Amino acid sequence: MYFSKSFIPILKNNPTEAKIKSHQLMLRTGMIKQSSAGIYSWLPLGFRIMKKIEQIVREEQNRVGVQEILMPTIQSSDIWKESGRYDDYGEEMLRIKDRQNREMLYGPTNEELVTEIFRSSIKSYKSLPQLLYHIQWKFRDELRPRFGIMRCREFYMKDAYSFDISDEEALHSYNKFFLSYLNTFKRMDLSAIPMAADTGPIGGNLSHEFIILADTGESKIFTDKRIFEVDSSKTTIEKNSLNKLRENFEKYYSVTDEKFNQIEFEKNVPEKYRLQTKGIEVGHIFYFGDKYSKPMNASVDYNGKKEFVKMGSYGVGVSRLVGAIIEAKYDEKNETMKWPMSVTPYDCSILPIVNKNDNSNLEIATNIYNSLKKNNIDVLIDDTDENISSKIKKFKLLGIPFQIIIGKNFNEQKIEFTEINHDPIFISIDEIIKKIKSKKSH
Ligand code: ATP
Ligand code: MG
């Protein structure tokens, strides 16, 4: 892709309305555009990142055996009246009437709808567990939408639901999500800590929030630093292994402010390990037993007896993650953002010095572009006639991890190649490909 033909509307200055880094940078680099309060369009650069995040989330759901479906954004109020939440949900729910005067709503979450889908087809305990997820837009009419896509009204979420026959089986499902979330965030180069959380309006018995440390986060957290060292790499989805994993995390005191208790904190955490800071919630898992299955009559036959299924729900803020990654990865010292290789919109930029009446550097750039493309490396060529230092600056602002500079006296064996915030090196195209590929596979 040539930069001159791309739709990346970069602003000259930081937009004054944005209070936090991610919001500033997302507007500045043309990743998003506000369409009305708390509602955004995603432009190509931002959309590419979100799609990569979505794909990682999807792969990690599939890996632990969750099946993908797609439910609509618009739901009927009937099922919400059955569960009793139509009134409870309050003003965050956007309520709509269709032309037949039926009460509809834009889904803020999908417990009711998925329970309705489940109960209409699954009749026997032999079909359990059922683990279902979808990745779909949600709408919550937040009182104070702010910080761009971090707390907006329309947002993109992965939500999953589990159906089991007993508490024990349901906790096994819960633990599968616990592991899959750790793996999901790790692939984005994020360290997300599972914290015991309040169950809030969704209600229930057991809940963890997955939090990324960031000063601009809205969640206050209190944690034992040793939790960062817990290793999940050898965990399998077998019951004992998963139980052990959760035990290893739960050994360490780690809560959000809703659950915080000063006395317990001081009792459980030696002073040198105490950490009190802020974070961004990127995922939330709940176990709530028969809270919805009972009022909505979702049951299975268990040896001639009717049993209400035990349910959990599991959310990841796919669109919020785009901002959360910026908040976590922005390098204050160098004033740069470098996207993790797994989600970067482009792996590499090619920046030729473009002279009037001389296309040779642009031709070289196009040849290199083709070689990289053949190796599945995503590239942008800056074919504009801006000077080279402003091109370098621009791509640093965009956070593309690598730059190839085509200048005077081009030498095939010694191409100028820079990783953001490192000194340039001079290597051949094959070596460049090898380098980028090895970073991609980490
Ligand atoms: P919060 O406490 O931030 O309002 P929540 O507990 O209401 O979140 P859940 O219902 O658990 O959120 O939703 C799952 C995930 O969806 C959250 O972990 C978060 O990443 C994301 N999310 C929730 N509300 C918003 C929002 N208004 N804008 C963007 N993402 C959101
Ligand atoms: Mg909320």
Side-chain angles (χ1 to χ4, degrees):
M1 171 65 103
Y2 287 114
F3 190 78
S4 65
K5 302 287 185 294
S6 69
F7 196 98
I8 305 179
I10 296 177
L11 305 177
K12 277 219 163 53
N13 299 304
N14 272 335
T16 47
E17 75 264 33
K19 301 271 177 294
I20 63 172
K21 201 70 236 175
S22 58
H23 191 196
Q24 286 166 6
L25 202 68
M26 289 181 77
L27 291 174
R28 175 95 191 266
T29 60
M31 290 171 63
I32 50 170
K33 183 174 185 324
Q34 184 170 332
S35 78
S36 55
I39 303 179
Y40 290 84
S41 298
W42 289 77
L43 306 184
L45 194 73
F47 194 60
R48 285 176 80 94
I49 297 165
M50 186 163 75
K51 283 284 148 181
K52 287 199 173 174
I53 292 172
E54 174 184 353
Q55 188 55 20
I56 292 174
V57 171
R58 173 176 288 118
E59 285 169 14
E60 294 304 323
Q61 293 293 288
N62 295 344
R63 199 191 301 281
V64 295
V66 196
Q67 306 167 76
E68 186 167 13
I69 60 174
L70 182 59
M71 292 178 268
T73 53
I74 306 288
Q75 304 180 19
S76 159
S77 63
D78 294 348
I79 46 177
W80 288 74
K81 287 177 182 160
E82 270 189 61
S83 75
R85 271 211 295 186
Y86 193 59
D87 294 327
D88 293 352
Y89 217 93
E91 298 211 282
E92 257 191 35
M93 183 186 274
L94 179 65
R95 296 155 205 257
I96 319 161
K97 276 209 176 119
D98 70 9
R99 67 200 295 166
Q100 320 287 355
N101 223 22
R102 280 183 294 241
E103 290 174 319
M104 312 294 284
L105 56 100
Y106 194 123
T109 179
N110 282 57
E111 281 79 7
E112 283 78 0
L113 189 50
V114 77
T115 303
E116 209 276 318
I117 292 169
F118 173 90
R119 74 179 173 190
S120 64
S121 299
I122 302 291
K123 304 291 178 201
S124 161
Y125 79 98
K126 289 184 182 146
S127 306
L128 302 183
Q130 282 295 328
L131 309 177
L132 303 171
Y133 76 100
H134 78 158
I135 304 176
Q136 178 63 292
W137 294 95
K138 303 289 182 298
F139 194 96
R140 294 182 187 173
D141 203 350
E142 298 272 357
L143 186 59
R144 269 187 293 277
R146 60 190 175 280
F147 305 148
I149 49 79
M150 296 285 257
R151 179 164 305 281
C152 48
R153 298 199 296 165
E154 191 182 44
F155 58 97
Y156 203 42
M157 193 211 278
K158 185 285 299 181
D159 41 323
Y161 303 89
S162 64
F163 302 86
D164 280 279
I165 189 65
S166 63
D167 282 328
E168 190 194 332
E169 291 302 317
L171 289 181
H172 185 210
S173 294
Y174 184 92
N175 290 346
K176 287 182 195 168
F177 285 97
F178 191 96
L179 173 67
S180 95
Y181 278 26
L182 293 170
N183 291 337
T184 301
F185 301 128
K186 214 187 287 165
R187 281 183 64 186
M188 298 168 197
D189 207 15
L190 293 173
S191 146
I193 326 169
M195 306 214 159
D198 231 24
T199 42
I202 292 188
N205 330 353
L206 178 64
S207 168
H208 286 87
E209 284 178 2
F210 287 75
I211 307 256
I212 289 167
L213 302 190
D215 294 336
T216 46
E218 291 187 275
S219 310
K220 269 202 195 124
I221 56 172
F222 303 85
T223 187
D224 184 324
K225 287 180 192 163
R226 287 171 292 183
I227 203 164
F228 295 111
E229 310 305 323
V230 178
D231 178 24
S232 60
S233 61
K234 295 194 181 63
T235 309
T236 68
I237 60 167
E238 186 257 330
K239 254 185 204 164
N240 289 335
S241 179
L242 283 173
N243 278 332
K244 187 91 198 110
L245 174 71
R246 203 145 64 76
E247 270 169 32
N248 287 343
F249 274 101
E250 287 175 340
K251 264 205 306 252
Y252 300 114
Y253 187 89
S254 181
V255 298
T256 58
D257 52 354
E258 291 138 353
K259 279 217 158 180
F260 177 65
N261 176 309
Q262 187 76 33
I263 295 164
E264 271 179 44
F265 188 45
E266 285 173 14
K267 198 175 86 192
N268 287 300
V269 188
E271 201 172 343
K272 64 174 173 178
Y273 296 125
R274 281 179 216 154
L275 177 66
Q276 177 176 342
T277 182
K278 283 188 190 154
I280 300 164
E281 179 193 323
V282 289
H284 202 165
I285 61 181
F286 296 93
Y287 175 54
F288 45 75
D290 58 12
K291 182 169 192 283
Y292 298 94
S293 57
K294 216 169 178 176
M296 292 187 68
N297 198 21
S299 61
V300 290
D301 177 73
Y302 186 54
N303 300 326
K305 228 177 95 213
K306 171 176 155 165
E307 287 283 347
F308 293 115
V309 285
K310 302 291 200 301
M311 292 174 59
S313 75
Y314 315 88
V316 171
V318 175
S319 50
R320 179 182 283 182
L321 270 163
V322 179
I325 292 173
I326 297 176
E327 294 298 330
K329 296 285 160 200
Y330 189 79
D331 176 346
E332 290 289 347
K333 198 176 109 228
N334 293 303
E335 295 188 7
T336 43
M337 171 63 199
K338 181 162 117 196
W339 289 103
M341 286 309 279
S342 58
V343 303
T344 188
Y346 292 94
D347 301 312
C348 184
S349 59
I350 305 179
L351 313 179
I353 293 178
V354 178
N355 300 313
K356 276 204 185 96
N357 314 322
D358 176 10
N359 269 339
S360 55
N361 280 347
L362 203 53
E363 271 164 30
I364 296 168
T366 306
N367 287 337
I368 294 178
Y369 174 92
N370 288 331
S371 315
L372 295 180
K373 269 296 196 200
K374 262 189 227 137
N375 284 280
N376 290 322
I377 295 170
D378 281 328
V379 203
L380 257 182
I381 300 183
D382 193 344
D383 57 330
T384 63
D385 50 18
E386 281 170 50
N387 66 46
I388 191 71
S389 70
S390 77
K391 287 186 181 183
I392 291 173
K393 253 208 208 131
K394 179 169 67 186
F395 277 85
K396 225 171 143 179
L397 177 72
L398 296 180
I400 311 301
F402 297 102
Q403 301 185 339
I404 294 172
I405 292 152
I406 317 279
K408 286 189 281 254
N409 312 323
F410 175 76
N411 176 341
E412 249 179 41
Q413 291 312 308
K414 291 188 175 145
I415 304 172
E416 186 173 346
F417 179 68
T418 314
E419 179 173 359
I420 290 190
N421 298 335
H422 291 67
D423 292 329
I425 53 175
F426 295 84
I427 54 178
S428 71
I429 186 72
D430 289 341
E431 288 169 300
I432 290 176
I433 291 169
K434 224 165 87 195
K435 256 201 173 349
I436 299 178
K437 276 185 148 177
S438 83
K439 291 274 178 155
K440 268 173 88 112
S441 62
H442 272 303

